[in-house]
């Protein structure tokens, strides 16, 4: 459920989005751009592909303008974690299941107007679990920072951050030991 309120708290409109997922769909993160469009990152369920990412753009009047979905190659529990708007782009990060490397960080850049995918990057370390939790974007060309947890081995986890430029080139990966 997405609800837009005016400055006095009165409901202007409400929208729901439902796949054929038997009420398992869920919103996870929301962002608003400078034109008051609303972007929702969530997970939708399908019996064929389990949970997949869904990114929705609603116009200022509540019109659904576009939808983007992402399914990992293992057809398992894929879920976004964060969404940000910068310039003409929508950035989303989270995790996707890969049929070979298991759970990976995934970060995408979508065209803000059309919802078309510009690039997608995945991060895998040792073919174990890598789970992105957060993202921040600064004003620099190397300003997309993704952070989360990454397994070093079966019993040890690390904190891991990756910096991308606006073209999706990873220019720094930092792993800090944890347990």
């Amino acid at each position: 459920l997405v609800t837009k309120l005016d400055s006095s708290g009165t409901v202007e409109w409400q929208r729901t989005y439902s796949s054929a997922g038997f009420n398992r769909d869920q919103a996870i993160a929301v962002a608003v751009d400078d034109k008051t469009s609303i972007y929702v990152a969530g997970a939708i369920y399908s019996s064929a592909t389990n949970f997949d990412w869904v990114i929705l753009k609603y116009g200022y009047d509540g019109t659904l303008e576009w939808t983007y979905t992402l399914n990992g190659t293992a057809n398992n529990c894929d879920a976004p974690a964060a969404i940000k708007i910068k310039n003409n782009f929508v950035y989303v990060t989270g995790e996707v299941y890969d049929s070979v490397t298991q759970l990976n960080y995934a970060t995408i850049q979508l065209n803000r107007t059309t919802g078309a995918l510009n690039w997608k990057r995945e991060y895998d370390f040792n073919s174990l679990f890598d789970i992105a939790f957060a993202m921040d974007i600064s004003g620099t060309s190397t300003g997309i920072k993704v952070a989360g947890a990454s397994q070093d081995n079966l019993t040890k986890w690390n904190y891991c951050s990756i910096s991308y430029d606006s073209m999706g080139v990873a220019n720094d990966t930092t792993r800090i030991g944890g347990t």
Side-chain angles (χ1 to χ4, degrees):
L1 176 66
V2 176
T3 302
K4 182 178 180 185
L5 307 174
D6 66 16
S7 59
S8 66
T10 303
V11 173
E12 288 188 14
W13 52 259
Q14 290 185 322
R15 299 293 182 268
T16 58
Y17 181 85
S18 181
S19 68
F22 312 105
N23 298 318
R24 294 183 183 178
D25 302 339
Q26 51 193 295
I28 296 169
V30 177
V32 178
D33 68 16
D34 57 352
K35 301 193 184 318
T36 67
S37 293
I38 298 170
Y39 301 81
V40 179
I44 56 174
Y45 180 80
S46 159
S47 60
T49 61
N50 211 326
F51 284 98
D52 300 323
W53 292 23
V54 64
I55 315 304
L56 310 169
K57 178 185 179 183
Y58 290 98
Y60 70 93
D61 61 353
T63 302
L64 181 60
E65 295 186 6
W66 53 256
T67 301
Y68 177 83
T69 57
L70 176 66
N71 176 34
T73 60
N75 292 326
N76 207 325
C77 294
D78 310 311
I83 186 168
K84 301 283 184 181
I85 311 301
K86 179 75 173 178
N87 300 327
N88 292 318
F89 305 109
V90 178
Y91 296 91
V92 184
T93 197
E95 57 271 352
V96 295
Y97 258 95
D98 182 275
S99 56
V100 175
T101 59
Q102 296 193 44
L103 194 60
N104 298 333
Y105 283 26
T107 304
I108 63 172
Q109 182 195 71
L110 303 174
N111 179 293
R112 188 169 89 170
T113 304
T114 66
L117 178 68
N118 292 328
W119 53 258
K120 173 187 164 205
R121 302 294 181 262
E122 289 190 31
Y123 173 77
D124 168 63
F125 188 80
N126 285 346
S127 294
L128 296 169
F129 286 7
D130 305 288
I131 304 169
F133 297 137
M135 176 175 48
D136 193 30
I137 301 178
S138 69
T140 68
S141 62
T142 59
I144 305 157
K145 184 74 107 178
V146 175
S150 176
Q151 275 188 299
D152 201 39
N153 57 49
L154 291 176
T155 60
K156 181 181 176 190
W157 286 84
N158 288 311
Y159 300 101
C160 180
S161 66
I162 304 169
S163 294
Y164 295 99
D165 68 16
S166 61
M167 299 303 295
V169 175
N171 49 44
D172 180 52
T173 301
T174 302
R175 296 179 64 82
I176 300 171
T179 56

